[in-house]
Amino acid sequence: MRVLAIECSTEWLAVALGDGSGFRESREHAGQTHSERVLPLVDALLGAAGWTLADLDGIAFGAGPGSFTGVRIACGVAQGLALGAERPVVAVPTLEAIAQDARRAHGATHVFACTDARMKEVYVAAYECPAGRWQETLAPAVVGPADVVLPPGRWFGVGDGLAAHPGIVARLPFADVDPSLKPSARAIGELALERLAAGEGSSPAGAVPLYVRHRVALTAAERATGGTL
């Protein structure tokens, strides 16, 4: 099976293309230019592989949590491409993608993912993979750094939330940590292949971002009185 994966949930933009035998990935620091850069990266990657959208079995995207704008861009692009090619879409949680990267990089099978959510908060989730597919132990949530709690067991901590808030690592008994890991398009593609093989792709219209925070800004009155989120 062949899949195209798109990841825009951070300041980095990543696109991957692959099948069960391996992946090609293009990654660049996009800042606020994801919407301008994502389609040229997709076109370049397809051209390098000699594939077209019609050669794919599905299109995947990093569904969040992460940058609201970035996640919506990835979702919209995946929906548009899939609609035109008549292919299913797979929405992959970005925190699960980091867990997948941790397994590949470190052999970790019990991963606590923690990414910087800005506004003095972090996104967290925990995944276990003793054999086969990842199982969600702690569902994605947004919490304050002081409220981060590990599930029972020994956990490998990953994500830039641990770098942004080093007190989390100092306070909690992680088995080990790698704050440098970010969700990769390759990981999203790998997880999407599992879901496609299991018949878990959705229609383009049925693919939606994963939001765990529903308030992203202060009102004018709150800003005027010095309020913070």
Side-chain angles (χ1 to χ4, degrees):
M1 301 185 77
R2 294 174 172 179
V3 66
L4 168 69
I6 300 166
E7 162 52 28
C8 302
S9 70
T10 72
E11 292 183 349
W12 289 82
L13 165 63
V15 175
L17 191 66
D19 53 24
S21 64
F23 277 83
R24 301 167 181 253
E25 182 175 23
S26 293
R27 185 181 179 100
E28 64 181 48
H29 188 270
Q32 304 297 317
T33 65
H34 295 79
S35 61
E36 302 168 20
R37 293 293 304 145
V38 60
L39 287 178
L41 254 62
V42 168
D43 289 342
L45 210 54
L46 285 169
W51 295 356
T52 69
L53 292 175
D55 295 318
L56 303 175
D57 293 286
I59 299 174
F61 71 98
S67 159
F68 273 54
T69 301
V71 169
R72 288 195 299 269
I73 290 169
C75 180
V77 170
Q79 288 174 320
L81 295 176
L83 185 63
E86 298 183 334
R87 294 294 184 266
V89 177
V90 181
V92 176
T94 51
L95 297 175
E96 185 179 348
I98 301 178
Q100 177 75 359
D101 285 320
R103 178 169 63 175
R104 190 187 320 106
H106 302 287
T109 57
H110 291 68
V111 178
F112 187 88
C114 177
T115 59
D116 187 11
R118 313 293 176 154
M119 295 188 288
K120 303 177 183 178
E121 292 179 317
V122 290
Y123 296 122
V124 296
Y127 299 92
E128 298 181 66
C129 187
R133 294 178 60 172
W134 288 101
Q135 301 172 7
E136 186 182 274
T137 303
L138 176 67
V142 60
V143 298
D147 297 321
V148 175
V149 178
L150 293 179
R154 290 176 56 78
W155 294 93
F156 192 101
V158 297
D160 61 1
L162 302 179
H165 303 280
I168 297 174
V169 176
R171 180 171 57 83
L172 298 176
F174 288 101
D176 205 347
V177 297
D178 184 351
S180 69
L181 286 183
K182 299 181 184 296
S184 72
R186 174 182 173 180
I188 289 166
E190 290 169 343
L191 296 171
L193 283 177
E194 295 177 356
R195 288 161 163 81
L196 287 169
E200 297 173 9
S202 73
S203 67
V208 295
L210 171 60
Y211 293 135
V212 297
R213 174 196 276 158
H214 300 285
R215 188 164 185 241
V216 297
L218 297 170
T219 65
E222 287 170 331
R223 291 195 300 270
T225 58
T228 60
L229 285 173

